[in-house]
Amino acid sequence: MCGIVGYIGDKDINSVLMAGLWRLEYRGYDSSGVASVMDGELEVRKVKGRLMNLQEMLSEKPLSGNIGIGHTRWATHGEPSDQNAHPQVGCKNKIAVVHNGIIENYYTLKEELLKKKHFFKSNTDTEVIAHLIEENYKGNLKESVLKTISRLVGSYAIAVICTDEPDKIVIFRYGSPLIVGIGKNENLIASDIPALLDHTKDIIAMNDGELGIIKKDKVEFFNAEGEKIKKEKKKVKWGPESIEKEDFPHYMLKEIHEQPNIIRNNISLKIKGNEFNFGEDFKFSPKELAHLSHIIIQACGTSWHAGYIGKYLFEDFARIRTEIDISSEFRYRNPVMDGEPLVMAITQSGETADTLAGLREAKAKFIKILSLVNVKGSTIARESDSTIYLNAGPEIGVASTKAFTSQIFQLYLLSLYLSKLKWTLDSSEIDKKIKEIKELPKKMKKILKKENEIKEIANKFKNAKDFMLIGRGINYPTALEGALKLKEISYIHATGYPAGEMKHGPIAMISEGSPVVAIATKSSVYDKMLSNIEELKSRKAKVIVIGTENDEIIKNLGSDVFYIPECEENLSPILVSIPLQLFAYHIAVLNERDVDRPRNLAKSVTVE
Ligand code: AGP
């Protein structure tokens, strides 16, 4: 979604703001802008379209001053245009605001402000904030911001500068992420850590209902009542190098290739002999976990697919009844949460609005919350009772890949741990599975070495208008994820189905040449998958099969076959996902899509 940056210090304001915005580009946007204060005047540059347009504008007409704010906008209220881009400014050209989120009562506020003779230049909800701060301004920016936010309904992270107080940026967070970067004789703000890393690794994450006053040599924090509060700074463990593309043409491809190392790293962090160590943020006692009545997993998109795989794992290994729900449904459907359940929130970003809301729904009912999160210190991690980190490093490509396989890995380990606590698997079985896990990085590398095979298959199918992906058992959710990858980055329609459902409707779609990807690795449902493939073949579909090495039967069934190494059935989604990710990637590249920044999508969905 939208991105916020801000800077106060001695560096060139143009390059700091611009570099920060480039770092946030991956989040998705359709216009951008910056503003600074110099000699009592606001300077604003904003433009529709790519960041390059703003950069060109700034090279012709740079900002002056040493305090500024910047924004990448992803349109919600008002189409993408120069006027609707942020910063938004009040009538008197004194106050400039950048905003992430949505102001739900903006229409009422706008009516009120129009009656007070404010004139509006955009169709955004954000402009209302700028006018309201101006209306409330009586010589103290902090007070006018506090008065303003008491009128706002919705979710927002805002950064405000004012010509009368050119020594500070005032920020406020309610429902949308905002981080402060602490430098030496300079300070920064951003909606996401990558925008800060070129300057500092010391950060302070804002919580909902907190206001910050950011000066060059000082930062101060207050609650929504204006009372001073203390906040601790933390060190980010990764540096700017982790957000470079290196020699890869796209972040997505780099992230696909990082997967074996991420799993290897997680193995050494989390498996100690035959014991599991989920890290210091995993605070549940074995006793608490052994007494769980059931698990409810809620998540969105790819994380929901990982959660679906989790359901198979928890039920198979630990014999714990597990529900899986999409967060936007879970949060509104009044779910039954009696007994001693554990609610799990699975999320790469840790900031997804619906997943956060689902977590809060459960928390309000005093349910235990465990989150699986990639971004350290994110809101969902902070609001959970326990967190298991994915340790996947920053994921920049909008299409999630490495976070997905790491989520499956954590779920696999957790299900083994629960099976140990509940005595549902004996120790020799667990040891055997640990051995299998340790083989994963090698097997993943082997698949990646065969990328060209996938590229060739992608080349054959690059003009397809429709794909169906089918799987059974634990690889049914993998098929869903493969279809989502295709849709997201190639814009080609793709549907995932449990193969057993074909006869109940979807097979009507199949005609000569219809492309179907079938996951038919060696498993408990292998024979069933063979029958499904036969049915498709007899209707002249073109079946691309993901099979297990040395399977001669499959060779004669599929029009194309991609082999993965043999592995334990419940671990196979990690291996199967790789060719599916590569297939979607190459189809998208062959269709000249913007792989890392697919249209209409944002990396983290911080509004409903
Ligand atoms: C993944 O490729 C998607 N971009 C999207 O479905 C994503 O998984 C979803 O928005 C959830 O994000 P989260 O994991 O950060 O909560």
Side-chain angles (χ1 to χ4, degrees):
M1 302 263 104
C2 311
I4 288 178
V5 294
Y7 177 75
I8 181 157
D10 295 328
K11 292 178 184 151
D12 171 47
I13 195 74
N14 298 281
S15 50
V16 179
L17 293 180
M18 217 41 237
L21 292 177
W22 280 117
R23 291 287 192 202
L24 296 182
E25 202 204 8
Y26 73 98
R27 293 171 63 98
Y29 69 102
D30 44 49
S31 57
S32 58
V34 287
S36 69
V37 177
M38 181 66 180
D39 295 336
E41 299 279 332
L42 264 188
E43 295 183 10
V44 181
R45 317 272 183 269
K46 47 189 200 166
V47 64
K48 181 184 161 181
R50 289 294 183 202
L51 268 177
M52 195 43 86
N53 303 349
L54 182 67
Q55 186 157 307
E56 280 164 9
M57 189 180 253
L58 285 175
S59 17
E60 276 168 32
K61 231 176 143 207
L63 294 177
S64 29
N66 55 14
I67 173 170
I69 51 178
H71 193 257
T72 44
R73 174 175 187 255
W74 192 86
T76 55
H77 294 61
E79 76 286 358
S81 69
D82 295 355
Q83 287 91 336
N84 289 339
H86 302 194
Q88 290 292 329
V89 174
C91 304
K92 297 179 188 157
N93 245 18
K94 272 176 169 299
I95 308 268
V97 177
V98 289
H99 161 224
N100 285 1
I102 289 178
I103 305 303
E104 286 163 12
N105 60 338
Y106 92 102
Y107 191 75
T108 325
L109 294 171
K110 191 170 177 175
E111 290 286 292
E112 214 176 89
L113 287 158
L114 283 169
K115 281 188 195 134
K116 289 183 175 159
K117 306 275 179 267
H118 283 263
F119 57 92
F120 285 78
K121 304 164 283 298
S122 79
N123 311 110
T124 63
D125 50 345
T126 304
E127 194 180 350
V128 163
I129 309 176
H131 287 276
L132 203 54
I133 295 176
E134 183 180 278
E135 182 67 27
N136 291 328
Y137 189 71
K138 305 278 179 291
N140 185 326
L141 188 59
K142 174 192 152 204
E143 294 307 323
S144 59
V145 168
L146 283 176
K147 200 164 173 193
T148 299
I149 57 99
S150 71
R151 300 286 322 279
L152 303 180
V153 177
S155 68
Y156 43 90
I158 57 170
V160 189
I161 52 174
C162 171
T163 51
D164 289 355
E165 300 181 43
D167 62 334
K168 62 177 74 93
I169 305 172
V170 174
I171 59 175
F172 192 88
R173 174 196 159 134
Y174 186 78
S176 229
L178 204 50
I179 323 272
V180 179
I182 309 294
K184 280 201 184 79
N185 220 20
E186 62 177 6
N187 288 307
L188 302 104
I189 55 149
S191 49
D192 204 354
I193 296 170
L196 304 171
L197 287 180
D198 290 321
H199 309 275
T200 181
K201 284 186 176 183
D202 291 326
I203 61 150
I204 297 176
M206 300 289 288
N207 289 319
D208 280 351
E210 290 178 352
L211 178 139
I213 298 184
I214 315 303
K215 295 185 174 175
K216 186 176 161 183
D217 50 4
K218 189 172 160 191
V219 290
E220 290 178 292
F221 299 98
F222 303 85
N223 62 20
E225 282 70 52
E227 295 154 351
K228 210 162 177 171
I229 52 169
K230 265 190 105 169
K231 288 183 69 69
E232 297 293 322
K233 65 178 180 194
K234 286 204 171 135
K235 234 187 203 356
V236 180
K237 292 216 175 87
W238 34 280
E241 67 292 344
S242 1
I243 43 179
E244 299 299 343
K245 258 191 266 175
E246 292 163 12
D247 290 334
F248 290 94
H250 298 99
Y251 281 110
M252 182 181 175
L253 190 61
K254 178 192 169 212
E255 288 160 5
I256 291 173
H257 280 266
E258 279 172 354
Q259 294 177 106
N261 282 342
I262 291 166
I263 298 296
R264 181 170 293 120
N265 184 28
N266 267 296
I267 291 172
S268 63
L269 284 171
K270 291 178 180 157
I271 304 178
K272 310 278 173 204
N274 56 3
E275 297 295 326
F276 303 105
N277 176 359
F278 294 104
E280 57 185 28
D281 292 289
F282 185 75
K283 296 177 185 137
F284 294 133
S285 69
K287 203 170 157 199
E288 268 177 295
L289 292 173
H291 286 101
L292 292 178
S293 58
H294 62 291
I295 296 176
I296 303 170
I297 304 176
Q298 55 103 18
C300 303
T302 291
S303 297
W304 177 72
H305 296 149
Y308 214 138
I309 290 171
K311 172 183 166 68
Y312 283 83
L313 293 169
F314 292 134
E315 295 196 338
D316 189 19
F317 288 163
R319 309 302 300 147
I320 302 180
R321 182 162 55 82
T322 305
E323 288 171 30
I324 169 78
D325 214 340
I326 289 181
S327 301
S328 54
E329 292 299 314
F330 177 77
R331 65 181 288 192
Y332 291 120
R333 81 177 163 84
N334 194 16
V336 178
M337 289 191 260
D338 53 1
E340 283 284 316
L342 173 75
V343 166
M344 283 183 67
I346 305 183
T347 166
Q348 187 285 129
S349 61
E351 302 292 351
T352 302
D354 284 320
T355 312
L356 178 60
L359 176 157
R360 287 177 177 163
E361 281 290 314
K363 240 187 148 177
K365 296 188 169 105
F366 306 101
I367 310 284
K368 287 189 203 63
I369 313 283
L370 169 65
S371 59
L372 256 60
V373 179
N374 196 33
V375 178
K376 296 235 160 108
S378 55
T379 311
I380 291 182
R382 281 181 284 134
E383 293 197 14
S384 302
D385 299 311
S386 274
T387 298
I388 297 176
Y389 282 110
L390 305 182
N391 301 310
E395 190 178 64
I396 306 293
V398 164
S400 184
T401 52
K402 60 178 183 171
F404 179 62
T405 45
S406 179
Q407 285 164 342
I408 304 171
F409 175 87
Q410 316 302 334
L411 289 160
Y412 191 91
L413 240 53
L414 186 63
S415 63
L416 286 185
Y417 178 56
L418 292 175
S419 72
K420 208 171 175 176
L421 300 179
K422 290 187 141 295
W423 298 78
T424 50
L425 287 182
D426 71 43
S427 55
S428 64
E429 278 178 284
I430 296 181
D431 290 348
K432 215 169 126 203
K433 294 195 189 322
I434 291 179
K435 251 191 180 156
E436 281 270 354
I437 294 173
K438 291 188 175 161
E439 294 292 309
L440 269 178
K442 210 169 61 201
K443 293 180 180 173
M444 294 168 87
K445 277 208 161 140
K446 198 168 173 193
I447 296 173
L448 287 165
K449 279 204 182 120
K450 299 197 297 175
E451 184 178 346
N452 268 338
E453 282 182 33
I454 287 284
K455 200 170 165 181
E456 270 169 36
I457 305 176
N459 201 27
K460 285 192 208 167
F461 289 91
K462 64 175 188 254
N463 296 322
K465 297 274 170 285
D466 242 308
F467 283 96
M468 206 171 272
L469 286 90
I470 56 169
R472 279 176 182 256
I474 198 155
N475 277 313
Y476 154 51
T478 322
L480 294 180
E481 172 60 8
L484 179 64
K485 288 285 95 65
L486 265 167
K487 276 183 279 217
E488 279 187 299
I489 57 166
S490 70
Y491 317 148
I492 296 172
H493 176 256
T495 322
Y497 263 107
E501 271 290 292
M502 289 302 282
K503 281 198 204 69
H504 300 282
I507 203 159
M509 301 286 296
I510 302 297
S511 58
E512 189 168 351
S514 302
V516 181
V517 180
I519 305 168
T521 45
K522 284 285 170 63
S523 69
S524 55
V525 289
Y526 172 73
D527 290 338
K528 305 274 170 211
M529 281 305 300
L530 290 190
S531 311
N532 288 121
I533 296 172
E534 290 284 6
E535 279 159 19
L536 291 163
K537 266 194 72 177
S538 55
R539 281 154 188 89
K540 299 197 170 56
K542 287 230 174 296
V543 189
I544 307 160
V545 184
I546 313 278
T548 303
E549 270 171 7
N550 305 322
D551 183 347
E552 293 298 323
I553 303 175
I554 282 291
K555 202 182 233 167
N556 303 322
L557 272 185
S559 41
D560 289 277
V561 181
F562 184 85
Y563 286 117
I564 63 162
E566 201 168 344
C567 87
E568 202 269 298
E569 180 172 354
N570 280 346
L571 267 184
S572 66
I574 296 186
L575 298 187
V576 173
S577 298
I578 300 175
L580 295 181
Q581 293 165 348
L582 287 170
F583 184 62
Y585 171 80
H586 285 292
I587 293 248
V589 171
L590 290 163
N591 280 287
E592 295 177 8
R593 305 296 192 221
D594 192 349
V595 174
D596 285 332
R597 288 174 299 272
R599 70 181 179 204
N600 304 337
L601 292 180
K603 183 62 185 162
S604 60
V605 184
T606 51
V607 290
E608 264 195 275

